[in-house]
Structures are given as C-alpha cells and as structure tokens.
Amino acid sequence: MAGGAAPTLAANTLAGINVVTVCATTGDSVILPAGQPRGAKILVVNNVATVTVDVYPNTGGTINGGTATTGQRGVATQTGATFTQVGTDGLTWIADNTIAAAS
C-alpha cells in the first residue's frame, strides 16, 4: 500500500486469481509472488471503482524489464491484468498489453 508495506499476492490461489477490493488511494499496491515456475500466470483484478492499483515485482524481480521502481504497472479501475512468469529465476514477469506503467 502507498506509504507502507504492500501485501504479496497469493500465488497458490485458484488459477492465480487475485481480486483487489479495497484500495484507499492511488498508489496503493500489491507485490507479485517470488519463486513461481516459468509459465505461471497471476491475474490481478481491480474491483475498486475510483483508483488504480499498482503492481510491483518481488525484491530483485522485474516486470517488462523495469526495476522495482520503474517496472511497476498500474491496473485501472474495474479492470484486470495478467502477469506471466517468463524467467527461470522466478522473478522475471511480463505484463499483458492492456496496462501501462504506473504513474
């Protein structure tokens, strides 16, 4: 969350589906899980009608080649985004094309 520790998404939920239902301010965030096998998919759904949810890689990880601070992605209000594990290190993620870098 903004200004504090962000929760790590549950990697062992059914089909990697994670639904955000509470997000108080823009910049609140969640963290992708580390140690996932190549091909693992994590779906983040933002059910909050008023703010974007930021998604960050785990420590040492990347999303679309960025760093922990430049690679975060924003999931817009009432939409979803898919993150796919593409590395053998369990830390390298690619985000689908429907989302942009968080602001």
Side-chain angles (χ1 to χ4, degrees):
M1 296 190 175
T8 299
L9 296 175
N12 58 353
T13 57
L14 178 64
I17 298 169
N18 296 270
V19 180
V20 177
T21 58
V22 176
C23 184
T25 62
T26 295
D28 282 356
S29 58
V30 294
I31 299 172
L32 292 170
Q36 298 304 297
R38 178 178 265 179
K41 293 182 187 272
I42 301 292
L43 174 64
V44 179
V45 177
N46 179 3
N47 273 355
V48 181
T50 56
V51 294
T52 297
V53 173
D54 290 348
V55 179
Y56 288 88
N58 205 292
T59 302
T62 63
I63 301 173
N64 291 0
T67 66
T69 54
T70 65
Q72 80 272 23
R73 312 308 283 179
V75 181
T77 62
Q78 298 182 327
T79 63
T82 302
F83 298 83
T84 304
Q85 178 57 240
V86 296
T88 57
D89 58 4
L91 295 170
T92 307
W93 296 89
I94 295 293
D96 66 31
N97 291 329
T98 64
I99 57 175
S103 53

